[in-house]
Amino acid sequence: MDLTTPPRPFDLLGDFPELSAYARPAVRLHPRRGEPTVAQSSIGGPLLWPADEAWPLCYLDHDDTSIEPYDAALRLRHQEGKIEGMRGRTGYLDFTAQMEHRRTLASSLVDAAGIAYGADEPRPLIPVAQMYSCDVPGLPFTDRFDLLQILWCPRDHVNTRNLAPHCPAFQVRWSRADPTAALVTDPPEPDLCNGEYLPAPCILYPEVVTEYPDMRNLPEPLEHALRGWHRDEDEDEEEWSTAYSFDTALAPGWKAMGHGMYWGIIDPFPVVCECGAEQLPLFTADSSEFDGGTGSWRPVEEAGSGGLLQNPVGVTIGRAYTLQLYFCPESETHPCRSVMS
């Protein structure tokens, strides 16, 4: 299946040809519910993980804003998938009703689980993304690696170096795939989680698009010109152009590389590695594939699908934010950093 971004509704380079110097390719991953295998690129799917390699653990301190038993959250996620399926592929999904249903059921399962909540020994991470370089063009370090795997701890973390607060904590693994090796078939699972951080198994349908920076990262004269681009006459002069930020420059949804996401809750700042190099966007986890302001990015093949495909992964970051993972281009051994925006 191919998923294709519609042509952008505005001629950005026709009006601002100087922006071509800032263009970067990004890969929209287009995750859609399915049953991926270890041989496929996926979100929330099984990992091609060698049996002789230890499964990664989270050694960080947790400060949970929401908690529930992991196995109960998994059952609930699958139940929600059945509810969505019965509603069909058209019609708007009642998000408020769905979340209330989830909280009510999760609460009853927490009461029955009897897990020692206070214990904070290291917990297993869960798979978030597996990307083969043959599927996702432009991944870094392909001279040495052909597989990028991203895991996270599905709980909240605060005041932890290199991490955005109140969100999952990433770990990144670069490797060269060996499908002939003995593999982990039953990875360990955490006992507790925030159910909002459990990605549903999704197959990827990657598509390369062109992105441009958040306008606040551009030279001031160009930023000023863009703020007035296709802006309604009654809008405040200080408002940004949604035609640029939401319809043209930055693709929404789960993606790799590019310019990351629009900085919506904090002002943009350089993400700098300990070595002094500026880090670059590697992976973006999003709370939706599109919303009311970014509907023009809905794939051509899914036009008219309503809101049901708005969040196929089923992850919500904060108040429907995004979580961006940055890497150091100097070395894969340098720590990645994450920013919530």
Side-chain angles (χ1 to χ4, degrees):
M1 178 174 72
D2 291 328
L3 292 177
T4 310
T5 298
R8 298 298 77 218
F10 304 101
D11 184 8
L12 178 62
L13 292 186
D15 291 339
F16 301 98
E18 63 270 38
L19 273 171
S20 62
Y22 302 94
R24 279 185 196 165
V27 183
R28 300 190 70 190
L29 299 175
H30 292 311
R32 296 296 183 266
R33 296 282 179 99
E35 297 181 2
T37 70
V38 296
Q40 292 177 292
S41 296
S42 65
I43 297 293
L47 302 182
L48 186 83
W49 197 273
D52 60 357
E53 185 169 331
W55 191 263
L57 305 176
C58 179
Y59 292 90
L60 303 173
D61 293 331
H62 301 112
D63 189 359
D64 299 296
T65 58
S66 176
I67 201 73
E68 56 193 283
Y70 180 77
D71 59 348
L74 281 180
R75 290 197 300 272
L76 178 56
R77 182 183 66 187
H78 291 302
Q79 180 175 342
E80 288 177 345
K82 293 178 181 178
I83 292 172
E84 291 180 18
M86 288 187 292
R87 295 183 183 185
R89 291 178 63 86
T90 60
Y92 191 75
L93 177 64
D94 188 339
F95 180 77
T96 301
Q98 181 192 30
M99 297 311 297
E100 182 60 31
H101 168 75
R102 190 187 70 78
R103 291 190 187 97
T104 300
L105 183 54
S107 178
S108 65
L109 295 171
V110 167
D111 292 340
I115 297 173
Y117 173 68
D120 206 28
E121 65 272 10
R123 302 304 215 281
L125 305 187
I126 65 171
V128 175
Q130 174 166 275
M131 293 179 282
Y132 288 90
S133 60
C134 59
D135 296 327
V136 182
L139 290 177
F141 311 125
T142 52
D143 58 328
R144 300 188 301 283
F145 309 112
D146 61 4
L147 180 60
L148 170 61
Q149 294 167 317
I150 300 174
L151 304 91
W152 70 24
C153 175
R155 294 175 65 179
D156 288 302
H157 308 75
V158 298
N159 299 326
T160 302
R161 192 163 177 255
N162 296 341
L163 294 173
H166 295 296
C167 61
F170 286 109
Q171 286 193 34
V172 175
R173 179 180 183 267
W174 308 88
S175 66
R176 185 159 289 280
D178 181 5
T180 66
L183 302 176
V184 169
T185 57
D186 188 21
E189 297 176 341
D191 51 1
L192 294 167
C193 71
N194 179 336
E196 304 282 1
Y197 303 155
L198 301 189
C202 290
I203 296 171
L204 303 186
Y205 301 92
E207 177 198 18
V208 179
V209 297
T210 300
E211 290 193 328
Y212 302 92
D214 184 298
M215 67 171 63
R216 290 164 291 184
N217 285 327
L218 292 168
E220 188 173 343
L222 185 53
E223 176 192 355
H224 182 75
L226 286 167
R227 284 183 179 275
W229 189 57
H230 289 280
R231 190 181 64 218
D232 293 336
E233 292 182 359
D234 58 350
E235 287 185 307
D236 188 273
E237 187 174 344
E238 292 301 314
E239 292 294 321
W240 60 80
S241 167
T242 58
Y244 177 80
S245 298
F246 298 152
D247 278 321
T248 312
L250 297 164
W254 294 66
K255 61 185 179 179
M257 314 308 289
H259 279 286
M261 292 298 295
Y262 170 75
W263 295 68
I265 58 176
I266 56 176
D267 289 333
F269 61 88
V271 181
V272 179
C273 181
E274 295 174 349
C275 73
E278 182 171 354
Q279 296 191 301
L280 302 173
L282 174 65
F283 177 73
T284 300
D286 204 342
S287 299
S288 67
E289 287 293 283
F290 60 88
D291 58 23
T294 57
S296 71
W297 293 89
R298 188 197 309 247
V300 172
E301 295 80 1
E302 294 177 345
S305 60
L308 208 57
L309 299 178
Q310 190 167 349
N311 188 9
V313 178
V315 163
T316 301
I317 303 294
R319 298 180 180 179
Y321 300 140
T322 61
L323 190 59
Q324 302 177 52
L325 182 63
Y326 288 78
F327 78 102
C328 178
E330 296 299 318
S331 173
E332 76 281 358
T333 65
H334 294 184
C336 294
R337 286 172 165 78
S338 59
V339 176
M340 184 189 292
S341 63

